[in-house]
Amino acid sequence: MTERSGIFAGDDPFQIAREWLAEAEASEINDPNAIALSTVNADGLPNARMVLLKEIEVDAFVFYTNYGSAKAQEVDATGKAAFVAHWKSLRRQLRVRGTVVREDGAQADAYYASRSLKSRLGAWASKQSEPLASRGALMAEVAKVTAKHGTAPTRPPFWGGYRILPVEIEFWADGAYRLHDRFRWSRATPSDAWKIIRLNP
């Protein structure tokens, strides 16, 4: 196994990722859990957008979205995604690539219930990624769903989570003279053992 120490030490990449995120939460001003999620459309054209990483599980990374959104449609079509988390204050980044499965059960219900009421109603109101006539039209839809669902809306059937099961995780830290430290954990499938190699900057 490649010799690693300091911030790269450990036998569990998910634990290392959790530790890095915890450090970021103490130093990043806004959204330390923001990730740039990449997908590919039917024409093979890449797409990227910022989303919030909501959980690092034992073997997966979880985010939530509207299943009608462009990102969700692209994930559902390919079953694959990638993301990068860049923590400027720590001068570190985390890159992940893997297969994706939906999380639309009790865990998604629990996360939805933990959101603010306005965010829960907003999930009902927004037809994410579809054309919108005006801000006023959106606010009118919010008022409409508020009247319908009240103060205890259930999770919309078109809204839930995705679990990224990585086949590749790369930890990167800034180095003097641009001689950065990079370690890539890779495996052929999510059930295989990890192989770790150090990469050139």
Side-chain angles (χ1 to χ4, degrees), residues 113-165:
S114 75
R115 304 176 89 207
S116 71
L117 175 60
K118 289 185 178 180
S119 293
R120 282 178 281 153
L121 291 168
W124 273 103
S126 175
K127 297 176 178 63
Q128 197 172 86
S129 299
E130 293 185 18
L132 177 64
S134 67
R135 177 83 181 172
L138 177 61
M139 299 316 293
E141 187 63 23
V142 171
K144 182 178 173 183
V145 299
T146 299
K148 180 177 181 180
H149 297 285
T151 58
T154 56
R155 179 173 61 88
F158 53 81
W159 191 98
Y162 283 102
R163 180 175 284 109
I164 301 176
L165 303 166

Side-chain angles (χ1 to χ4, degrees), residues 20-34 85-93:
W20 282 29
L21 178 57
E23 287 187 59
E25 289 170 344
S27 60
E28 296 290 328
I29 297 173
N30 293 308
D31 297 329
N33 60 330
H86 176 69
W87 297 298
K88 190 173 183 179
S89 63
L90 294 177
R91 303 174 75 88
R92 296 181 205 168
Q93 70 179 22

Side-chain angles (χ1 to χ4, degrees), residues 27-47:
S27 60
E28 296 290 328
I29 297 173
N30 293 308
D31 297 329
N33 60 330
I35 59 175
L37 179 74
S38 297
T39 56
V40 177
N41 71 9
D43 297 321
L45 189 65
N47 213 342

Side-chain angles (χ1 to χ4, degrees), residues 37-39 61 75 78-83 95-101 163-169 187-190 194:
L37 179 74
S38 297
T39 56
F61 298 86
V75 165
T78 65
K80 299 173 184 176
F83 75 78
R95 296 176 61 211
V96 172
R97 298 198 297 167
T99 57
V100 185
V101 295
R163 180 175 284 109
I164 301 176
L165 303 166
V167 293
E168 188 174 295
I169 302 176
R187 55 190 181 180
T189 73
W194 290 105

